[in-house]
Amino acid sequence: MTAELVRGQNHPLPHTRLEIRVSAGKPVVAGATLGDEDGRVPGTEWVAHPGQPALPGIEVSRQATADHRLGVDLDAVPAAVHRVTLLLALPLGPALPVRFGSVAAPFVAVTGPDGGEIANYTITGLDAESAVVALELYRRQGAWKVRAVGQGYAGGLSALLADQGLDRAGELSAAVQEAVAPGLARTVGTPPPRTTEVRHSAATAAGGTVGDPGPAPGATTQPPAPTPPEPPAQPHDGPINYTHPRRQSVAPPPPPPAAPPTEPGRPPTPVAGDATGWSMEERLYNQVWGMFEDLARTTAAYRSAVDFAESRLDQELDRALSDPRSRIAGSGDAARAAARAKHDKLTEQAREVLDRDLAQLAAESDVVEPALPAAFARWDNPVWHAYRVPMEIPMALRLGDLHLPERPELRIPMLIRLPLERGLWVDSGRAASEAASLMDEGRLRRLAMDTAVAHAARLLAVYPAGEFTVHVIDPAGSAAASLAPLVHSGVLDQPPAVGAQGVSSVLAKLTQRVDLVQMAVRGGAADALPPDLDTAEQLLIVNDFPHGFDDRAVTQLRYLADEGPAVGVHLLMVADREDASAYGPVLDPLWRSLLRITPVPDDHLADPWVQHSWTYEPPRIPPGSQVLQQVLAQVAEARRTWRR
């Protein structure tokens, strides 16, 4: 499985014979340096570049091209080499780009002997830089790893080489540019930019596969333990690239609206719909997930930089304490002070970059939120005051918000695709989170049911009339107050089922529907379904489980959870798992099949892509607002009109 790295992240290398592939869209110079254990490059003879393309264990291209393939044999590098660093730089010449911010984000992939990708890295966030350290291969305790760096240099290749410790960096930079100059005159047009599918990171995130290529905040299981943090790239000054490749689609969409012009050097002005897609709804959907990815990336880079600063501080303090000379004339105190100063500087630089990126994302959020359609919008969005029953199903539905502790007020909409692919479970247990444990049990259960009703109301509101039906099981009748908006508006075909008999009746009806539709689909005889069968999507709200459920009812509920989503029957459970502990592991598959959400903020959504734990914030209807009643009244009227 390919590891998709973010800045500062590392990944073990299973092979020592490798190929590094670079795709940049425009001609770039590719080179590599061989560094010692401290990362220093002893001299120009340790630099592989177009004028000196081959060194022991590394070979680079002789020309500046849009695509490179570099051969690496880590077994062949000198024993003193502990770090192989990949460099990219823009060539000099008329009509050539002078900064990476004006070209497509470079893409770097590390492949094994069989050509299979081990890791890749898209270098986003570059602006005025004309040279960049793309990644590095480094030796740690006898094993090799790759780390995504992404450190840009506005001073160009000479500044980059000087930072590698070379004394004659300017002369070497000039020699490299001179070596590629003849080939630039023969350079042919570059291929069109790569297109990749939009990553629905957390989204289907919430569905459990970030991205289906990666993590997802919707995953309810914790990711494997990450490798120990190791030195990341130091932060650079480029802004977030709002058009990185992850926001491209497989088909050429209409162009997004043009952003207003900005002053040179200033970040682009955010625009709602600044993503690919055939419609504004699709562009907004892709933009929201682009914002999610940007927040994940910049936070991962910040955390990695802070971890590196802490690790470096520990190492330097250990070195100072182990050196007997540091105990003389106060030199030890000076060494410790210098180490802490370096630590503070690195941390401060990382925080500055994070704050800048978060400010840009906050500005984008301020523009995007008011432009969202009803299915994507919060309940306090004015779009609900102009609500009309839709004529078609939207792409996705907002389940709440996601945020990280670095900026809790910056919230990203948590969108899941429609139709639902799995059921929902609103956890009413007090042991699930710290916030829940501080609440009264009765109040928590009421809040959980209110949350479920708000989700059901939103689902009813975003489906066309007659295409979504809600059933309710409330065995003890304890949720009457929460269910009042659904009952009084008339959107329910039947009143909430109570008692064991009511539970049995509703489950039998929905189980039969699943069986009939499955048989019709498998037999290719959809027209043979009974005429009185409701073909709309079905949602079953279950409160206070397992009260009122016998063994047969529990089996039917598990059947609906497993087989229902494929034929349009979905569960919305409001339950405390501890209440069903008597069933033991029998119900484990049921809980795993549902997406767990909470009635209070809780950081339970794990994102294996960058090892974040996202805090889920449930949707809230503004106090005193009648928006829910007004929307349900329109839904009920549309349903009555549809039945005439």
Side-chain angles (χ1 to χ4, degrees), residues 176-202:
V176 171
Q177 297 291 354
E178 183 179 350
V180 300
L184 288 173
R186 302 189 299 271
T187 300
V188 298
T190 57
R194 302 180 313 280
T195 57
T196 58
E197 292 190 4
V198 176
R199 173 198 296 279
H200 297 152
S201 309

Side-chain angles (χ1 to χ4, degrees), residues 210-231:
V210 166
D212 300 349
T220 56
T221 57
Q222 290 294 331
T227 54
E230 304 202 331

Side-chain angles (χ1 to χ4, degrees), residues 103-159:
V103 301
F107 177 82
V108 184
V110 179
T111 66
D114 58 354
E117 271 194 20
I118 300 170
N120 62 46
Y121 174 40
T122 301
I123 311 173
T124 59
L126 298 178
D127 184 22
E129 298 88 343
S130 58
V132 60
V133 175
L135 52 78
E136 62 183 14
L137 315 177
Y138 64 99
R139 192 189 335 237
R140 180 63 54 85
Q141 296 178 347
W144 287 91
K145 295 184 179 182
V146 59
R147 175 166 46 240
V149 180
Q151 172 68 56
Y153 293 83
L157 184 58
S158 60

Side-chain angles (χ1 to χ4, degrees), residues 34-46:
L34 305 182
D36 59 19
E37 195 167 4
D38 295 327
R40 305 283 294 180
V41 181
T44 57
E45 66 277 7
W46 288 52

Side-chain angles (χ1 to χ4, degrees), residues 309-310 313 336-352:
E310 296 286 349
L313 175 63
R336 288 190 288 271
R340 291 192 177 92
K342 290 180 183 178
H343 167 269
D344 294 343
K345 182 179 180 181
L346 287 174
T347 303
E348 182 181 356
Q349 288 178 334
R351 188 71 212 192
E352 287 176 358

